Amino acid sequence: MPDFAAGVRLEVRITPDDLGKRVSVRSLVDPAGPGGGFTDTVGVLTSWTDGVITVTRRDGTFVELAEEAVVAGKVVPSAPARRRGVPAAGLGELCAVAARGWPAPEEERIGDWLCRAAGGWTRRANSAVPLGPGAPDVERITAWYARRGLPPQLAVTTGAAGAHELTAATLTAAGWTASGHAVTLVGSLAALADREPDPRVVIGREPDERWLRGYPNAHRDPGTARRVLAAGPGVRFATVPDPEAGPDAPPRAVGRCTVDGRWAGFAAVEVAPAQRRRGLAGAVIAELARRALAGGASAAWLQMEVDNAPARALYAGAGFAEHHHYHYLRRP
């Protein structure tokens, strides 16, 4: 993402005092090499120590740059410009809506962080999520999870105004390990529902046995899965039965949606391997979106792992855009 116009005098206008700010940095690819090229790095300045500058990118990965290789740098706006048609939302609002959309049986707020426990079923329901800008009280959060026999995990956000890049950098330096890199997308709900109704999709209010058979993640702990999945606000479940199989056969596809004020949240969209590339995921999402619109929602959010290329393509085609990234940090 180059941010320096050709012909403009290069100047380093960042200092260690800019820690926590979003910056754009141009550096030599190989300072010791003959004539080398340049590379541009955009992200949050999270460290400047012993001649090494660390910039955390939007997706939570970080780049270390030798100070001597930096030829230009400046502070830039704290978040990229919002795409037209994409709903506006602050980071705290989206984090709170997402937490309510996947509620754990046990929850307790410690400072600006909401601790959640569900007996280990899903990282999302067994991690602390930020509801404000404050740094986590690591010792209290660690003790909270220890009392429940669970490892402490934090869902740290990156790539938006008020995100927690500095927290992530500090904990990573202390030995916490990162995993589960994911992205939160937002978009217009109407765009998802803009297709003809699909009679193959059945909508219900509970995750019945047939629905659970179509969601492989539920198999590890069906009781806890049912508690978490059914507890969201305005929750609806979509099922595409397999008419060619018996009543106990897994469905062709399933999905889940919650309605929380203006927001509709989509999750647990699964298509049986043999049924993929037949438009079933789009059909499930469209029917859930139709119900969410009728329930008063107008905007949509969803979370997915960054390497889920088919889903990213599906939602990009519907006009969705990245709001922020997050990943899990686990204490050693």
Side-chain angles (χ1 to χ4, degrees):
M1 181 179 173
D3 201 45
F4 299 93
V8 175
R9 183 168 63 91
L10 300 180
E11 183 180 358
V12 178
R13 289 181 284 166
I14 57 174
T15 72
D17 292 336
D18 293 315
L19 285 179
K21 296 179 181 178
R22 187 167 179 261
V23 299
S24 180
V25 180
R26 173 163 287 185
S27 58
L28 289 167
V29 174
D30 183 6
F38 296 100
T39 184
D40 293 300
T41 305
V42 178
V44 174
L45 181 64
T46 48
S47 176
W48 193 322
T49 306
D50 298 329
V52 177
I53 296 172
T54 303
V55 178
T56 299
R57 292 192 179 109
R58 179 174 174 80
D59 64 1
T61 60
F62 61 87
V63 178
E64 292 183 339
L65 305 170
E67 184 177 349
E68 64 181 12
V70 174
V71 298
K74 62 182 179 180
V75 175
V76 296
S78 59
R82 181 169 60 90
R83 186 192 304 173
R84 179 177 294 180
V86 174
L91 180 64
E93 178 186 0
L94 257 296
C95 286
V97 168
R100 292 193 296 268
W102 198 267
E106 291 188 84
E107 295 184 343
E108 181 179 343
R109 184 161 179 166
I110 297 178
D112 276 347
W113 292 70
L114 179 68
C115 294
R116 305 171 292 176
W121 186 75
T122 73
R123 277 183 295 201
R124 195 184 308 185
N126 292 274
S127 58
V129 63
L131 301 182
D137 187 328
V138 171
E139 297 310 316
R140 287 182 63 195
I141 291 174
T142 297
W144 193 89
Y145 281 101
R147 290 193 295 271
R148 290 154 179 84
L150 295 170
Q153 293 188 107
L154 304 179
V156 292
T157 58
T158 59
H164 296 81
E165 287 89 354
L166 285 177
T167 291
T170 299
L171 295 178
T172 299
W176 290 57
T177 55
S179 63
H181 286 75
V183 59
T184 297
L185 305 179
V186 295
S188 166
L189 183 60
L192 293 179
D194 187 19
R195 56 187 291 171
E196 291 296 320
D198 196 319
R200 297 175 297 174
V201 183
V202 179
I203 304 295
R205 292 179 175 271
E206 297 287 340
D208 58 19
E209 292 300 326
R210 183 173 60 181
W211 191 97
L212 291 173
R213 284 194 293 271
Y215 186 52
N217 208 12
H219 299 170
R220 293 190 294 110
D221 188 347
T224 301
R226 192 187 295 272
R227 290 180 65 188
V228 172
L229 293 165
V235 66
R236 295 289 187 275
F237 297 87
T239 307
V240 180
D242 189 344
E244 300 175 0
D248 295 331
R252 291 181 170 179
V254 297
R256 175 180 179 270
C257 178
T258 55
V259 175
D260 188 350
R262 68 177 176 131
W263 291 103
F266 296 84
V269 178
E270 294 279 351
V271 179
Q275 303 294 333
R276 291 173 183 167
R277 300 187 182 277
R278 300 183 182 183
L280 291 178
V284 162
I285 292 165
E287 294 308 310
L288 288 171
R290 209 181 312 280
R291 296 298 180 94
L293 282 169
S298 60
W301 67 269
L302 55 96
Q303 296 171 326
M304 68 178 66
E305 294 186 352
V306 294
D307 58 358
N308 190 342
R312 293 288 291 270
L314 172 67
Y315 294 115
F320 275 61
E322 293 184 1
H323 184 274
H324 66 275
H325 286 246
Y326 69 93
H327 62 276
Y328 297 95
L329 287 176
R330 182 169 177 169
R331 189 167 190 168

